[in-house]
Amino acid sequence: MSEPRWLDAGQQRDWRAFIDGSLRLHDIMDRELKAKHGLSGSEYEILVRLSEAPGRCLRMAELAEHASQSRSRLSHTCTRLEAKGLVRRESCSSDKRGVFAHLTDEGFAVLERAARDHVETVRNFFIDVIDPDDLKAIGRAFRAVAERIAQSR
Amino acid sequence: MSEPRWLDAGQQRDWRAFIDGSLRLHDIMDRELKAKHGLSGSEYEILVRLSEAPGRCLRMAELAEHASQSRSRLSHTCTRLEAKGLVRRESCSSDKRGVFAHLTDEGFAVLERAARDHVETVRNFFIDVIDPDDLKAIGRAFRAVAERIAQSR
DNA sequence: GAACGTTGGTTGAAATCTAAATTATTCCTG
DNA sequence: CAGGAATAATTTAGATTTCAACCAACGTTC
């Protein structure tokens, strides 16, 4: 096997900064969400996606795709969310295999409160410490990454 | 409570792109590492940090810090790595509470192989799809984020 | 309309992660 | 130097995640 194309010092440094910084950022936000609103990161993500969907309702498979979760994981998490009364599942009449996940009113209310704190944290640890042009660069970059990943399947 | 300072459309878009892209990127790399080398992301991280330490050996607490993991998690993961023969633990003679984690020769060999594939994946899904200036911006941004998080404790 | 392969979703067990309690040692202060 | 606070690491118990197996419904083909 040929010698791999190692990263140069600068690339290495920036790549590491991203890995480390994003890990810690994720970490701190999940902790905050859990402490103040009793929601895990993935639960929050699910509520957000549902809240944005028409009728606040999505098929499980679509929801899994939007929230970047495996179907299995989504099933488990939805079971929990349903137990908390934040989500309700309902089987689809046209395709009897299908299931719709609905955001309940209580779910929406919880999400609304959580989102207020969340945006504050996002600003505090991310938006406000980053140069606006650098933020745009981040957006560009990760859209490219997501696209590359999508096309790889 | 006053109205939160919501993100504007552009910030929202870029923030989302980051969250989504980085999640999927992490995901794909962990999967790759697991499939080809039987290592989880956090195991790999530990091996990397050890390999870079003088004598390929670190105190558990330092290792936890370098690898951004809780001590508890590190303990568990090290137990597993030790069972696989990739790491060896040895108690410290000067401070008997302390424990050194050593990277074994086999651990180093496994890491070497894994790193070759890993760098290829990093290029493929990250470095090569990003404009070099945007990569620098990412480095700057996440160094700032990490610093902000560090100073918040 | 029976057989086949596919899709949508759930389930259960094993692996992993988190948080709190535990153990052992060292540091500090009077 | 006794005693309490702090530190290093592990352990335990509980929650979450993953992985593979599963079931049911759909669509196609012959």
Side-chain angles (χ1 to χ4, degrees), chain A residues 31 59-61 71-72 75-76 89 97 99:
Chain A
R31 213 173 291 286
R59 284 285 292 270
M60 293 298 276
R71 292 184 183 189
S72 165
S75 265
H76 286 296
R89 274 181 290 195
R97 294 166 306 178
V99 172

Side-chain angles (χ1 to χ4, degrees), chain B residues 31 59-61 71-72 75-76 89 95 97-99:
Chain B
R31 213 172 291 286
R59 286 286 291 271
M60 292 298 276
R71 291 183 185 193
S72 164
S75 265
H76 287 299
R89 274 181 292 193
D95 181 344
R97 295 166 306 180
V99 171

Side-chain angles (χ1 to χ4, degrees), chain B residues 12 14 19 48 61 66 98 116 121 152:
Chain B
Q12 178 88 238
D14 292 334
I19 284 295
V48 169
H66 286 309
R116 282 165 182 273
T121 309
S152 81

Side-chain angles (χ1 to χ4, degrees), chain B residues 99-141:
Chain B
V99 171
F100 283 108
H102 292 264
L103 185 62
T104 65
D105 289 343
E106 193 190 338
F108 188 74
V110 166
L111 175 59
E112 228 172 5
R113 269 177 270 130
R116 282 165 182 273
D117 284 341
H118 186 68
V119 70
E120 208 47 59
T121 309
V122 171
R123 279 198 179 278
N124 193 13
F125 291 100
F126 188 74
I127 302 282
D128 287 350
V129 301
I130 295 175
D131 182 281
D133 285 333
D134 288 352
L135 179 58
K136 291 203 184 77
I138 288 173
R140 264 198 306 279

Side-chain angles (χ1 to χ4, degrees), chain A residues 16-32 121-122 125-126, chain B residues 15 18-19 22 26 45 49 61-70 73 141-153:
Chain A
R16 284 287 186 95
F18 157 63
I19 284 294
D20 195 61
S22 67
L23 192 65
R24 289 172 194 261
L25 183 60
H26 243 104
D27 223 61
I28 216 167
M29 295 202 311
D30 284 0
R31 213 173 291 286
E32 220 252 352
T121 309
V122 171
F125 292 101
F126 188 73
Chain B
W15 161 251
F18 157 63
I19 284 295
S22 68
H26 243 103
E45 189 67 17
R49 301 301 174 158
E62 293 177 291
L63 183 50
E65 178 57 27
H66 286 309
S68 308
Q69 295 185 18
S70 73
R73 183 177 175 185
F142 284 97
R143 275 187 290 276
V145 168
E147 197 177 327
R148 176 75 191 78
I149 290 174
Q151 91 192 13
S152 81
R153 321 190 214 216

